[in-house]
Amino acid sequence: MNRLTTVLVRLALFLAFVCAWEVLPRLGILNARLLPPLSDVLAMLGQLVGRANVQEAMMVTAAEVVVAFVIAVPLGAVIGVAVAESEYFGEIFKPMLFYVFSVPKSIFLPMFILVLGIGFHQKVAYAVFSTLFIVIMSASAAVESVKPEHVLVARSYGATRRQILFRVYVPSMVPILLETLRIAMIFNFTAVMIAEMYASRTGIGHMIANWGENFQMRQLFAGVILLAVVAILFNETIRWLETRCSTWRT
């Protein structure tokens, strides 16, 4: 199947989905109170974007996501590199990291609420905790992906530790780390949404939870579409950066 055919099939499936969403509730095949027609949802989305309280909630959520991401990624990368580079730290912490990584992080949310209360710090801390382990594991794998012979050649030519880091390690690790950023943002964004829906007074996740509890389905689906668009835009931006850096692979 060539590229054009693949694109056309994807477009056809998307159009079929859109048409079904619009037509089936209109014909009464699906309950319009549970699944409003797409045109009604999009009209509501336009109204929500213009509301001051929704804009404020989006800003709160964006701040939580950005702060947690900025903390979790560098911290996880440093720990991951240390675990991969040090045999001592690797033997001690790698098994522990694998065990903690396999545990669903949502079960720890009540502990964060009890310790930190309900607010900005609690949501950021929980998002950092949820994101940290995937960054650690990926950074460790990125370091281990560097070919030892490249490091050996650099050392034989008298390269300093700094030169080896930026001329050998970084170019080899960047593609993996960019992929990690995409995955980390998914974990980060999901954690913030869970924290806002579970126990929060602010944020778009809190508003979506309220819309669902109050059976405001047009607002609910409009909020979901809004968050989906933001997530897709970020994902595609990182994918574009990854493609640009693909020539750095060794």
Coordinates of all heavy atoms in Angstrom, one line a residue, residues 162-247:
R162 N 34.2 16.4 28.9 CA 33.2 17.3 28.4 C 33.0 17.1 26.9 O 31.9 17.1 26.4 CB 33.6 18.7 28.7 CG 32.7 19.8 28.1 CD 33.2 21.2 28.4 NE 32.3 22.2 27.8 CZ 31.3 22.7 28.5 NH1 31.0 22.3 29.7 NH2 30.6 23.6 27.9
Q163 N 34.1 16.9 26.1 CA 34.0 16.7 24.7 C 33.3 15.4 24.4 O 32.5 15.3 23.5 CB 35.4 16.7 24.1 CG 36.0 18.1 24.0 CD 37.4 18.1 23.5 OE1 38.2 17.1 23.7 NE2 37.8 19.1 22.8
I164 N 33.6 14.3 25.2 CA 33.0 13.0 25.0 C 31.5 13.1 25.3 O 30.6 12.6 24.5 CB 33.6 12.0 25.9 CG1 35.0 11.7 25.5 CG2 32.8 10.7 25.9 CD1 35.8 10.8 26.4
L165 N 31.1 13.9 26.3 CA 29.7 14.1 26.6 C 28.9 14.7 25.5 O 27.9 14.2 25.1 CB 29.6 14.9 27.9 CG 28.2 15.3 28.4 CD1 27.4 14.0 28.7 CD2 28.2 16.2 29.6
F166 N 29.5 15.9 25.0 CA 28.7 16.6 24.0 C 28.9 16.2 22.6 O 28.1 16.5 21.7 CB 29.1 18.1 24.1 CG 28.5 18.8 25.3 CD1 29.3 19.0 26.5 CD2 27.2 19.2 25.4 CE1 28.8 19.6 27.6 CE2 26.6 19.8 26.5 CZ 27.4 20.0 27.6
R167 N 30.0 15.5 22.3 CA 30.3 15.0 20.9 C 29.9 13.6 20.7 O 29.8 13.2 19.5 CB 31.8 15.2 20.6 CG 32.3 16.7 20.7 CD 31.7 17.5 19.6 NE 32.2 18.9 19.6 CZ 33.3 19.3 19.1 NH1 34.1 18.5 18.4 NH2 33.7 20.6 19.2
V168 N 29.8 12.8 21.7 CA 29.5 11.4 21.6 C 28.2 11.0 22.2 O 27.3 10.5 21.5 CB 30.6 10.5 22.2 CG1 30.3 9.0 22.0 CG2 32.0 10.8 21.5
Y169 N 28.1 11.3 23.5 CA 26.9 10.9 24.2 C 25.6 11.6 23.7 O 24.6 11.0 23.4 CB 27.0 11.1 25.7 CG 27.8 10.0 26.4 CD1 29.1 10.0 26.6 CD2 27.1 8.8 26.8 CE1 29.8 8.9 27.2 CE2 27.7 7.8 27.5 CZ 29.1 7.8 27.6 OH 29.7 6.8 28.2
V170 N 25.7 13.0 23.7 CA 24.5 13.8 23.4 C 23.9 13.5 22.0 O 22.7 13.2 21.9 CB 24.8 15.3 23.6 CG1 23.6 16.1 23.0 CG2 25.0 15.6 25.0
P171 N 24.8 13.5 20.9 CA 24.2 13.1 19.6 C 23.6 11.7 19.6 O 22.6 11.6 18.9 CB 25.4 13.2 18.7 CG 26.4 14.1 19.4 CD 26.2 13.8 20.8
S172 N 24.1 10.8 20.3 CA 23.6 9.4 20.3 C 22.3 9.4 21.1 O 21.4 8.6 20.8 CB 24.6 8.4 20.8 OG 25.8 8.4 20.1
M173 N 22.2 10.2 22.1 CA 21.0 10.1 23.1 C 19.9 10.9 22.6 O 18.7 10.6 23.0 CB 21.5 10.5 24.5 CG 22.5 9.6 25.1 SD 23.2 10.3 26.6 CE 21.7 10.6 27.6
V174 N 20.1 12.0 21.9 CA 19.0 12.9 21.5 C 17.8 12.3 20.9 O 16.7 12.6 21.4 CB 19.6 14.1 20.6 CG1 18.4 14.8 19.9 CG2 20.3 15.1 21.5
P175 N 17.9 11.4 19.9 CA 16.7 10.8 19.4 C 15.8 10.1 20.4 O 14.6 10.2 20.4 CB 17.2 9.9 18.3 CG 18.5 10.5 17.9 CD 19.1 11.0 19.2
I176 N 16.5 9.3 21.3 CA 15.8 8.6 22.3 C 15.2 9.5 23.3 O 14.0 9.3 23.7 CB 16.8 7.6 23.0 CG1 17.3 6.5 22.0 CG2 16.1 6.9 24.1 CD1 18.3 5.6 22.5
L177 N 15.9 10.5 23.7 CA 15.4 11.5 24.6 C 14.2 12.3 24.1 O 13.3 12.6 24.9 CB 16.5 12.5 25.1 CG 17.7 11.8 25.9 CD1 18.7 12.9 26.2 CD2 17.1 11.2 27.1
L178 N 14.2 12.6 22.8 CA 13.1 13.3 22.2 C 11.8 12.4 22.2 O 10.7 12.8 22.5 CB 13.4 13.7 20.8 CG 14.3 14.9 20.6 CD1 14.7 15.1 19.2 CD2 13.7 16.2 21.2
E179 N 12.0 11.1 22.0 CA 10.9 10.2 22.1 C 10.4 10.1 23.5 O 9.2 10.0 23.8 CB 11.4 8.8 21.6 CG 10.3 7.7 21.6 CD 9.2 7.9 20.6 OE1 9.4 8.7 19.6 OE2 8.1 7.4 20.8
T180 N 11.4 10.1 24.4 CA 11.0 10.1 25.9 C 10.2 11.3 26.2 O 9.3 11.2 27.1 CB 12.3 10.1 26.7 OG1 13.1 8.9 26.4 CG2 12.0 10.1 28.2
L181 N 10.5 12.5 25.7 CA 9.7 13.7 26.0 C 8.3 13.5 25.6 O 7.4 14.0 26.3 CB 10.3 14.9 25.2 CG 11.7 15.4 25.7 CD1 12.1 16.6 24.8 CD2 11.6 15.8 27.1
R182 N 8.0 12.9 24.5 CA 6.6 12.6 24.1 C 5.9 11.7 25.1 O 4.8 12.0 25.5 CB 6.6 12.0 22.7 CG 7.0 13.0 21.6 CD 6.5 12.5 20.2 NE 7.1 11.2 19.8 CZ 6.3 10.3 19.3 NH1 5.0 10.4 19.1 NH2 6.9 9.1 18.9
I183 N 6.6 10.7 25.4 CA 6.0 9.7 26.4 C 5.8 10.4 27.7 O 4.8 10.2 28.4 CB 6.8 8.4 26.5 CG1 6.9 7.8 25.1 CG2 6.2 7.5 27.5 CD1 7.9 6.6 25.0
A184 N 6.9 11.1 28.2 CA 6.8 11.8 29.5 C 5.7 12.8 29.5 O 5.0 12.9 30.6 CB 8.1 12.5 29.8
M185 N 5.4 13.5 28.5 CA 4.3 14.5 28.5 C 3.0 13.8 28.6 O 2.0 14.3 29.2 CB 4.4 15.3 27.2 CG 3.2 16.4 27.1 SD 3.1 17.4 28.6 CE 4.4 18.5 28.4
I186 N 2.8 12.6 28.0 CA 1.6 11.8 28.1 C 1.4 11.4 29.5 O 0.3 11.6 30.1 CB 1.7 10.6 27.2 CG1 1.7 11.0 25.7 CG2 0.5 9.7 27.5 CD1 1.9 9.8 24.8
F187 N 2.4 10.9 30.2 CA 2.3 10.6 31.6 C 2.0 11.8 32.5 O 1.2 11.8 33.4 CB 3.6 9.9 32.1 CG 3.7 8.4 31.8 CD1 4.0 8.0 30.5 CD2 3.5 7.5 32.8 CE1 4.1 6.7 30.2 CE2 3.6 6.1 32.5 CZ 3.9 5.7 31.2
N188 N 2.7 12.9 32.2 CA 2.6 14.1 32.9 C 1.2 14.7 32.8 O 0.5 15.0 33.8 CB 3.6 15.1 32.4 CG 3.6 16.4 33.1 OD1 3.4 16.5 34.4 ND2 3.8 17.5 32.4
F189 N 0.7 14.8 31.6 CA -0.6 15.4 31.3 C -1.7 14.5 31.9 O -2.7 15.0 32.5 CB -0.8 15.5 29.8 CG -1.9 16.4 29.4 CD1 -1.7 17.8 29.4 CD2 -3.2 15.9 29.0 CE1 -2.8 18.6 29.0 CE2 -4.2 16.7 28.6 CZ -4.0 18.1 28.6
T190 N -1.6 13.2 31.8 CA -2.6 12.3 32.4 C -2.6 12.4 33.9 O -3.7 12.5 34.5 CB -2.2 10.8 32.0 OG1 -2.2 10.7 30.6 CG2 -3.3 9.9 32.6
A191 N -1.4 12.6 34.5 CA -1.4 12.7 36.0 C -2.0 14.0 36.4 O -2.8 14.0 37.4 CB 0.1 12.7 36.4
V192 N -1.8 15.1 35.7 CA -2.5 16.3 36.1 C -4.0 16.2 36.0 O -4.7 16.7 36.8 CB -1.9 17.5 35.2 CG1 -2.7 18.8 35.4 CG2 -0.5 17.8 35.6
M193 N -4.4 15.6 34.9 CA -5.9 15.4 34.7 C -6.5 14.6 35.8 O -7.6 14.9 36.3 CB -6.2 14.8 33.3 CG -5.9 15.7 32.1 SD -7.0 17.1 32.1 CE -5.9 18.4 32.7
I194 N -5.8 13.5 36.2 CA -6.3 12.6 37.2 C -6.4 13.4 38.5 O -7.4 13.3 39.3 CB -5.4 11.4 37.4 CG1 -5.6 10.5 36.2 CG2 -5.8 10.6 38.6 CD1 -4.7 9.3 36.2
A195 N -5.4 14.1 38.8 CA -5.3 14.9 40.1 C -6.4 16.0 40.1 O -7.1 16.2 41.1 CB -4.0 15.5 40.3
E196 N -6.7 16.6 39.0 CA -7.7 17.7 38.9 C -9.1 17.0 39.0 O -10.0 17.6 39.6 CB -7.6 18.5 37.6 CG -6.4 19.4 37.6 CD -6.3 20.3 36.4 OE1 -7.1 20.0 35.4 OE2 -5.5 21.2 36.4
M197 N -9.3 15.9 38.4 CA -10.6 15.3 38.4 C -10.9 14.6 39.8 O -12.0 14.6 40.2 CB -10.7 14.2 37.3 CG -10.7 14.8 35.9 SD -10.8 13.5 34.7 CE -10.9 14.5 33.2
Y198 N -9.9 14.1 40.4 CA -10.0 13.4 41.7 C -10.3 14.3 42.8 O -11.3 14.1 43.6 CB -8.8 12.5 42.0 CG -8.9 11.6 43.2 CD1 -9.4 10.3 43.0 CD2 -8.5 12.0 44.4 CE1 -9.6 9.5 44.1 CE2 -8.6 11.1 45.5 CZ -9.2 9.9 45.3 OH -9.3 9.0 46.4
A199 N -9.5 15.4 43.0 CA -9.7 16.3 44.1 C -9.0 17.6 43.7 O -7.8 17.8 43.8 CB -9.1 15.7 45.4
S200 N -9.8 18.6 43.3 CA -9.3 19.9 42.9 C -10.4 20.9 42.8 O -11.6 20.5 42.7 CB -8.6 19.8 41.5 OG -8.1 21.0 41.1
R201 N -10.1 22.1 43.0 CA -11.0 23.2 42.9 C -10.8 24.0 41.6 O -11.6 25.0 41.3 CB -11.0 24.1 44.1 CG -11.3 23.4 45.4 CD -11.3 24.4 46.6 NE -11.4 23.7 47.8 CZ -10.4 23.4 48.6 NH1 -9.2 23.7 48.2 NH2 -10.6 22.8 49.8
T202 N -9.7 23.8 40.9 CA -9.4 24.5 39.7 C -8.9 23.6 38.6 O -8.6 22.4 38.8 CB -8.2 25.5 40.0 OG1 -7.1 24.8 40.5 CG2 -8.7 26.6 41.1
G203 N -8.7 24.2 37.4 CA -8.2 23.4 36.3 C -9.3 22.9 35.4 O -10.4 22.7 35.8
I204 N -8.9 22.6 34.1 CA -9.8 22.2 33.1 C -10.3 20.7 33.5 O -11.4 20.4 33.2 CB -9.2 22.2 31.7 CG1 -10.3 22.0 30.7 CG2 -8.1 21.2 31.6 CD1 -11.3 23.1 30.6
G205 N -9.4 19.9 34.1 CA -9.9 18.6 34.5 C -11.0 18.6 35.5 O -11.9 17.8 35.5
H206 N -10.9 19.6 36.4 CA -12.0 19.8 37.4 C -13.3 20.2 36.8 O -14.3 19.7 37.1 CB -11.5 20.9 38.4 CG -12.6 21.3 39.3 ND1 -13.1 20.5 40.3 CD2 -13.3 22.5 39.4 CE1 -14.1 21.2 41.0 NE2 -14.2 22.4 40.4
M207 N -13.2 21.0 35.8 CA -14.4 21.5 35.0 C -15.0 20.3 34.3 O -16.2 20.1 34.2 CB -14.1 22.6 34.1 CG -13.5 23.9 34.8 SD -13.4 25.3 33.7 CE -15.1 25.8 33.6
I208 N -14.1 19.5 33.6 CA -14.7 18.4 32.9 C -15.4 17.4 33.8 O -16.4 16.8 33.5 CB -13.5 17.7 32.1 CG1 -13.1 18.6 30.9 CG2 -13.9 16.3 31.6 CD1 -11.9 18.0 30.2
A209 N -14.8 17.1 35.0 CA -15.4 16.2 35.9 C -16.8 16.8 36.4 O -17.7 16.0 36.5 CB -14.5 16.1 37.1
N210 N -16.8 18.1 36.6 CA -18.1 18.7 37.0 C -19.2 18.6 35.9 O -20.3 18.3 36.1 CB -17.9 20.2 37.3 CG -17.3 20.3 38.7 OD1 -17.4 19.4 39.6 ND2 -16.8 21.5 39.0
W211 N -18.7 18.8 34.6 CA -19.7 18.7 33.5 C -20.2 17.3 33.4 O -21.4 17.0 33.1 CB -19.0 19.1 32.2 CG -18.7 20.5 32.1 CD1 -19.4 21.6 32.7 CD2 -17.6 21.1 31.4 NE1 -18.8 22.8 32.4 CE2 -17.7 22.5 31.6 CE3 -16.5 20.7 30.6 CZ2 -16.8 23.4 31.0 CZ3 -15.6 21.5 30.1 CH2 -15.7 22.9 30.3
G212 N -19.3 16.3 33.6 CA -19.8 14.9 33.6 C -20.8 14.6 34.7 O -21.8 13.9 34.5
E213 N -20.4 15.0 35.9 CA -21.3 14.8 37.1 C -22.7 15.4 36.9 O -23.7 14.9 37.4 CB -20.6 15.3 38.3 CG -19.4 14.4 38.7 CD -18.7 15.1 39.9 OE1 -19.1 16.1 40.4 OE2 -17.6 14.5 40.3
N214 N -22.7 16.6 36.3 CA -24.0 17.3 36.1 C -24.6 17.0 34.7 O -25.6 17.7 34.4 CB -23.7 18.9 36.1 CG -23.2 19.3 37.5 OD1 -23.7 18.8 38.5 ND2 -22.2 20.2 37.6
F215 N -24.1 16.0 34.0 CA -24.8 15.5 32.8 C -24.8 16.6 31.7 O -25.7 16.7 30.9 CB -26.2 15.0 33.1 CG -26.6 14.0 32.2 CD1 -26.0 12.7 32.2 CD2 -27.7 14.2 31.3 CE1 -26.4 11.7 31.3 CE2 -28.1 13.2 30.5 CZ -27.5 11.9 30.5
Q216 N -23.8 17.5 31.7 CA -23.6 18.5 30.7 C -22.8 17.9 29.6 O -21.6 18.2 29.5 CB -23.0 19.8 31.3 CG -23.9 20.4 32.3 CD -23.2 21.6 33.0 OE1 -22.3 21.4 33.8 NE2 -23.7 22.8 32.7
M217 N -23.4 17.1 28.7 CA -22.6 16.3 27.8 C -21.9 17.2 26.6 O -20.9 16.8 26.2 CB -23.5 15.2 27.1 CG -24.2 14.3 28.2 SD -23.0 13.6 29.4 CE -22.1 12.5 28.3
R218 N -22.6 18.2 26.2 CA -22.0 19.0 25.2 C -20.7 19.7 25.7 O -19.7 19.7 25.0 CB -22.9 20.1 24.7 CG -24.1 19.6 23.8 CD -24.9 20.7 23.2 NE -25.4 21.7 24.2 CZ -25.9 22.9 24.0 NH1 -25.8 23.3 22.7 NH2 -26.3 23.6 24.9
Q219 N -20.8 20.2 26.9 CA -19.6 20.8 27.5 C -18.5 19.7 27.7 O -17.3 20.0 27.5 CB -19.9 21.5 28.8 CG -20.7 22.7 28.7 CD -22.2 22.5 28.7 OE1 -22.7 21.4 28.3 NE2 -23.0 23.4 29.1
L220 N -18.9 18.5 28.2 CA -18.0 17.4 28.4 C -17.2 17.1 27.2 O -16.0 17.0 27.2 CB -18.7 16.2 29.0 CG -17.9 15.0 29.2 CD1 -16.8 15.2 30.2 CD2 -18.8 13.8 29.6
F221 N -17.9 16.8 26.1 CA -17.3 16.4 24.9 C -16.4 17.5 24.3 O -15.4 17.3 23.7 CB -18.3 15.9 23.8 CG -18.8 14.5 24.1 CD1 -20.0 14.3 24.6 CD2 -17.9 13.4 23.8 CE1 -20.4 13.0 24.9 CE2 -18.4 12.1 24.0 CZ -19.6 11.9 24.6
A222 N -16.9 18.8 24.4 CA -16.1 19.9 23.9 C -14.8 20.0 24.7 O -13.7 20.3 24.1 CB -16.9 21.2 24.1
G223 N -14.8 19.8 26.0 CA -13.6 19.8 26.8 C -12.7 18.7 26.4 O -11.4 19.0 26.3
V224 N -13.2 17.6 26.1 CA -12.3 16.4 25.7 C -11.7 16.7 24.4 O -10.5 16.5 24.2 CB -13.2 15.1 25.6 CG1 -12.4 14.0 25.0 CG2 -13.7 14.7 27.0
I225 N -12.4 17.3 23.5 CA -11.8 17.6 22.1 C -10.7 18.7 22.3 O -9.7 18.6 21.7 CB -12.9 18.2 21.2 CG1 -13.9 17.0 20.8 CG2 -12.3 18.8 19.9 CD1 -15.1 17.4 19.9
L226 N -11.0 19.7 23.2 CA -10.0 20.7 23.4 C -8.7 20.1 23.9 O -7.6 20.5 23.4 CB -10.6 21.8 24.4 CG -9.6 22.9 24.8 CD1 -9.3 23.7 23.5 CD2 -10.3 23.8 25.8
L227 N -8.8 19.3 24.9 CA -7.6 18.7 25.5 C -6.9 17.7 24.5 O -5.7 17.7 24.4 CB -7.9 17.9 26.7 CG -8.4 18.7 27.9 CD1 -8.7 17.8 29.1 CD2 -7.3 19.7 28.3
A228 N -7.7 17.0 23.7 CA -7.1 16.2 22.6 C -6.3 16.9 21.6 O -5.2 16.5 21.2 CB -8.2 15.4 22.0
V229 N -6.8 18.1 21.2 CA -6.1 18.9 20.2 C -4.8 19.4 20.8 O -3.8 19.4 20.1 CB -7.0 20.1 19.8 CG1 -6.2 21.1 19.0 CG2 -8.2 19.6 19.0
V230 N -4.8 19.9 22.0 CA -3.6 20.3 22.7 C -2.6 19.2 22.7 O -1.4 19.4 22.4 CB -3.9 20.9 24.1 CG1 -2.6 21.2 24.8 CG2 -4.7 22.1 24.0
A231 N -3.0 18.0 23.1 CA -2.1 16.9 23.3 C -1.5 16.5 21.9 O -0.3 16.2 21.8 CB -2.8 15.7 23.9
I232 N -2.3 16.5 20.9 CA -1.9 16.1 19.5 C -0.9 17.1 19.0 O 0.1 16.7 18.4 CB -3.1 16.0 18.6 CG1 -3.9 14.7 19.0 CG2 -2.6 15.9 17.1 CD1 -5.2 14.6 18.2
L233 N -1.1 18.4 19.2 CA -0.2 19.4 18.8 C 1.2 19.3 19.4 O 2.2 19.4 18.7 CB -0.8 20.8 19.1 CG -1.9 21.3 18.2 CD1 -2.5 22.6 18.7 CD2 -1.5 21.4 16.7
F234 N 1.2 19.0 20.7 CA 2.5 18.8 21.4 C 3.2 17.6 20.9 O 4.4 17.6 20.6 CB 2.3 18.7 22.9 CG 3.6 18.4 23.6 CD1 4.4 19.5 24.0 CD2 4.0 17.2 23.9 CE1 5.6 19.3 24.7 CE2 5.2 16.9 24.6 CZ 6.0 18.0 25.0
N235 N 2.4 16.5 20.7 CA 3.0 15.3 20.2 C 3.6 15.4 18.8 O 4.7 15.0 18.6 CB 1.9 14.2 20.2 CG 2.5 12.8 19.8 OD1 3.2 12.2 20.5 ND2 2.2 12.4 18.6
E236 N 2.9 16.1 17.9 CA 3.4 16.3 16.6 C 4.6 17.3 16.6 O 5.5 17.1 15.7 CB 2.3 16.8 15.7 CG 1.2 15.8 15.4 CD 1.8 14.5 14.9 OE1 2.6 14.5 13.9 OE2 1.4 13.5 15.4
T237 N 4.7 18.2 17.5 CA 5.8 19.1 17.6 C 7.1 18.4 18.0 O 8.1 18.5 17.4 CB 5.6 20.2 18.6 OG1 4.4 21.0 18.2 CG2 6.8 21.2 18.7
I238 N 7.0 17.5 19.0 CA 8.1 16.7 19.4 C 8.5 15.7 18.3 O 9.7 15.4 18.0 CB 7.8 15.9 20.7 CG1 7.5 16.9 21.8 CG2 8.9 15.0 21.0 CD1 8.7 17.8 22.2
R239 N 7.5 15.2 17.5 CA 7.8 14.2 16.4 C 8.6 15.0 15.3 O 9.5 14.4 14.8 CB 6.5 13.7 15.9 CG 6.7 12.5 14.9 CD 5.4 12.2 14.2 NE 4.4 11.7 15.1 CZ 4.3 10.5 15.5 NH1 5.2 9.6 15.1 NH2 3.4 10.1 16.4
W240 N 8.2 16.2 15.1 CA 8.9 17.0 14.1 C 10.4 17.3 14.5 O 11.3 17.1 13.7 CB 8.2 18.3 13.9 CG 8.9 19.3 12.9 CD1 8.9 19.2 11.6 CD2 9.7 20.4 13.3 NE1 9.7 20.2 11.0 CE2 10.2 21.0 12.0 CE3 10.1 20.9 14.5 CZ2 11.0 22.1 12.0 CZ3 11.0 22.0 14.4 CH2 11.4 22.6 13.2
L241 N 10.6 17.6 15.8 CA 11.9 17.8 16.3 C 12.7 16.5 16.3 O 13.9 16.5 15.9 CB 11.8 18.3 17.8 CG 11.3 19.7 18.0 CD1 11.2 20.0 19.5 CD2 12.3 20.7 17.4
E242 N 12.1 15.4 16.5 CA 12.8 14.1 16.4 C 13.2 13.8 15.0 O 14.4 13.3 14.8 CB 11.9 13.0 16.9 CG 12.5 11.6 17.0 CD 11.6 10.5 17.4 OE1 10.4 10.8 17.6 OE2 12.0 9.4 17.6
T243 N 12.4 14.2 14.0 CA 12.8 14.0 12.7 C 14.0 14.9 12.3 O 14.9 14.4 11.6 CB 11.6 14.3 11.7 OG1 10.5 13.4 12.1 CG2 11.9 14.0 10.3
R244 N 13.9 16.1 12.8 CA 15.0 17.0 12.5 C 16.4 16.5 13.1 O 17.4 16.8 12.5 CB 14.7 18.4 13.0 CG 13.5 19.0 12.4 CD 13.7 19.7 11.1 NE 14.6 20.9 11.3 CZ 15.0 21.6 10.3 NH1 14.6 21.4 9.1 NH2 15.8 22.7 10.5
C245 N 16.3 15.8 14.2 CA 17.5 15.4 14.9 C 17.9 14.0 14.5 O 18.8 13.4 15.1 CB 17.3 15.5 16.4 SG 17.1 17.1 17.0
S246 N 17.2 13.4 13.5 CA 17.4 12.0 13.2 C 18.8 11.8 12.6 O 19.4 10.7 12.7 CB 16.4 11.5 12.2 OG 16.4 12.2 11.0
T247 N 19.4 12.8 12.0 CA 20.7 12.7 11.4 C 21.8 12.6 12.5 O 23.0 12.3 12.2 CB 21.0 14.0 10.6 OG1 20.9 15.1 11.4 CG2 20.1 14.0 9.4

